[in-house]
Amino acid sequence: MACRFSELVVDSRDPEALAAFWAEVLGYEVLGREEDGAVEIGPVTGFGGPAPTLVFAPVAEPTPGKVRLHVDVSPTDRDQDAELARLLALGATRADVGQREGRAGEQDAVSWYVLADPEGNEFCLLRRRLDPL
């Protein structure tokens, strides 16, 4: 028997705002709120469905140092450039981690964009489109 990825917990200064951002990015909805201020978002199927949920837990201070985990997202109903424009309009910003963005086939160029959410958590927008759930 194996484990299954069911949820990802993200420390955040403003769980409501960050949950709203990621719900828009992923097409998720708010599934619940805890007394401590944590907000859980996920697909309409809820916890335990085909995709993991995200829980934004309140913390006073962000974790110091480099975060060792980040999220990758793939467009579902548009190409990468159109999805990049949508994410930037939602409040994402470009993050420079030393990558060289470019088109497929360009020497040393990567095929993804590194972005940061409104609290500075880095995530990548991949080129390959996936079918929506």
Side-chain angles (χ1 to χ4, degrees), residues 1 5-6 11-12 18 25 28 42 48 50 77 93 98 104 106 116 118 120 131:
M1 197 71 175
F5 180 33
S6 57
D11 289 347
S12 56
L18 208 53
V25 169
Y28 278 15
D77 61 350
T93 56
E106 288 185 41
D131 292 331

Side-chain angles (χ1 to χ4, degrees), residues 106-117:
E106 288 185 41
Q107 187 72 20
D108 298 326
V110 297
S111 63
W112 60 86
Y113 292 102
V114 182
L115 303 169
D117 71 17

Side-chain angles (χ1 to χ4, degrees), residues 7-54:
E7 66 185 16
L8 176 66
V9 179
V10 179
D11 289 347
S12 56
R13 292 181 300 275
D14 186 347
E16 287 288 341
L18 208 53
F21 171 82
W22 281 103
E24 283 294 321
V25 169
L26 299 171
Y28 278 15
E29 62 183 39
V30 173
L31 300 175
R33 291 177 171 85
E34 298 295 325
E35 288 184 23
D36 69 354
V39 180
E40 182 175 18
I41 65 169
V44 295
T45 55
F47 179 83
T53 62
L54 292 156

Side-chain angles (χ1 to χ4, degrees), residues 18-112:
L18 208 53
F21 171 82
W22 281 103
E24 283 294 321
V25 169
L26 299 171
Y28 278 15
E29 62 183 39
V30 173
L31 300 175
R33 291 177 171 85
E34 298 295 325
E35 288 184 23
D36 69 354
V39 180
E40 182 175 18
I41 65 169
V44 295
T45 55
F47 179 83
T53 62
L54 292 156
V55 177
F56 298 92
V59 296
E61 296 294 324
T63 304
K66 180 165 175 48
V67 176
R68 297 177 56 181
L69 179 74
H70 72 264
V71 175
D72 287 348
V73 297
S74 296
T76 58
D77 61 350
R78 58 190 59 109
D79 67 20
Q80 184 187 40
D81 289 333
E83 184 62 2
L84 174 64
R86 185 180 84 89
L87 297 176
L88 293 172
L90 288 174
T93 56
R94 291 177 180 258
D96 183 0
V97 295
Q99 76 280 11
R100 183 179 163 291
E101 296 170 353
R103 294 284 157 231
E106 288 185 41
Q107 187 72 20
D108 298 326
V110 297
S111 63
W112 60 86

